[in-house]
Amino acid sequence: NAGVTQTPKFQVLKTGQSMTLQCAQDMNHEYMSWYRQDPGMGLRLIHYSVGAGITDQGEVPNGYNVSRSTTEDFPLRLLSAAPSQTSVYFCASSPLQGTEAFFGQGTRLTVV
Amino acid sequence: QQQVKQSPQSLIVQKGGISIINCAYENTAFDYFPWYQQFPGKGPALLIAIRPDVSEKKEGRFTISFNKSAKQFSLHIMDSQPGDSATYFCAARRGNQGGKLIFGQGTELSVKP
């Protein structure tokens, strides 16, 4: 059972480039979320989804897009990367009838 | 606006001692309060959680104390071990918003042998 899988693990982008962070879960969870982790800031919610076709914004959504076409996948898109988006990104999933959120291993993104 | 405030930012404890991390929240609609543990290079993992209808929950060496009137909760790690060295996050969630966790700033715990 793989749980929540994030790819890539590391990425360096130039300012203005675009990229997609991938997230997949094999637990058939309804809820999926993206967080960014910055020193002294904890984890902040970027976007989340309550099921296929349904997404909503979190605390820090600007500069990021998401879509959810399947239960399993929840990609995060950076359309024009900025140095302020240098961070560690975590994807998480949780079941509809439950409370525990399961996190992936993270993607460390550097924008230069 | 930081809805969940966590302190201290870092903590050094001797092996066998008690580690205490505190959190305070503002939104009275929160009804689920988990603690997550994160080791370097890994994602956070659920450690222990509590709902506001109880004042304390204990799992092994880990205890959550909850004070609803003060809107505060804390994590106590008894008999702290070097393997407990990690970053700890408190969090909160509203009951009808599964998947939306609001995290505290994190506490980096170091347990010295």
Side-chain angles (χ1 to χ4, degrees):
Chain A
N1 191 340
V4 179
T5 302
Q6 290 184 236
T7 56
K9 288 186 170 53
F10 302 93
Q11 182 71 48
V12 179
L13 284 181
K14 294 182 179 179
T15 297
Q17 285 185 319
S18 63
M19 81 160 294
T20 299
L21 307 184
Q22 301 292 344
C23 176
Q25 53 99 0
D26 61 0
M27 296 173 283
N28 203 32
H29 287 168
E30 290 81 1
Y31 294 119
M32 295 188 76
S33 310
W34 275 102
Y35 296 85
R36 59 176 289 173
Q37 181 176 7
D38 303 290
M41 303 289 287
L43 289 92
R44 292 180 291 169
L45 183 64
I46 304 171
H47 286 286
Y48 72 101
S49 169
V50 299
I54 306 171
T55 63
D56 203 349
Q57 297 181 351
E59 304 170 73
V60 289
N62 293 340
Y64 307 95
N65 281 347
V66 292
S67 61
R68 189 155 177 215
S69 56
T70 67
T71 299
E72 294 78 20
D73 300 300
F74 191 42
L76 179 71
R77 298 182 185 85
L78 286 71
L79 297 181
S80 179
S84 61
Q85 294 178 304
T86 293
S87 186
V88 181
Y89 291 85
F90 288 99
C91 178
S93 73
S94 54
L96 183 65
Q97 299 298 334
T99 51
E100 181 174 356
F102 296 83
F103 284 80
Q105 299 275 42
T107 295
R108 183 174 295 274
L109 175 68
T110 302
V111 182
V112 298
Chain B
Q1 179 187 1
Q2 188 72 34
Q3 294 192 56
V4 179
K5 296 182 179 180
Q6 183 173 345
S7 63
Q9 187 171 352
S10 62
L11 182 61
I12 299 174
V13 173
Q14 292 296 317
K15 178 182 177 181
I18 302 174
S19 304
I20 301 175
I21 305 170
N22 300 300
C23 283
Y25 64 96
E26 299 172 2
N27 191 338
T28 55
F30 290 146
D31 72 345
Y32 172 69
F33 301 88
W35 284 89
Y36 279 79
Q37 180 187 55
Q38 183 183 33
F39 292 105
K42 303 294 186 182
L46 180 65
L47 183 63
I48 186 173
I50 198 169
R51 292 197 182 272
D53 53 347
V54 297
S55 60
E56 185 175 283
K57 183 175 182 179
K58 183 177 181 180
E59 291 184 1
R61 295 184 294 108
F62 301 91
T63 299
I64 300 178
S65 297
F66 191 87
N67 186 330
K68 187 174 181 178
S69 61
K71 292 188 286 186
Q72 295 176 347
F73 58 111
S74 60
L75 175 70
H76 295 234
I77 306 175
M78 311 299 289
D79 187 26
S80 298
Q81 299 296 312
D84 296 331
S85 298
T87 300
Y88 293 82
F89 294 97
C90 63
R93 193 199 73 180
R94 288 173 57 175
N96 64 345
Q97 295 188 345
K100 288 185 70 175
L101 287 169
I102 306 299
F103 283 88
Q105 296 92 325
T107 297
E108 189 172 349
L109 171 65
S110 177
V111 181
K112 299 300 186 185

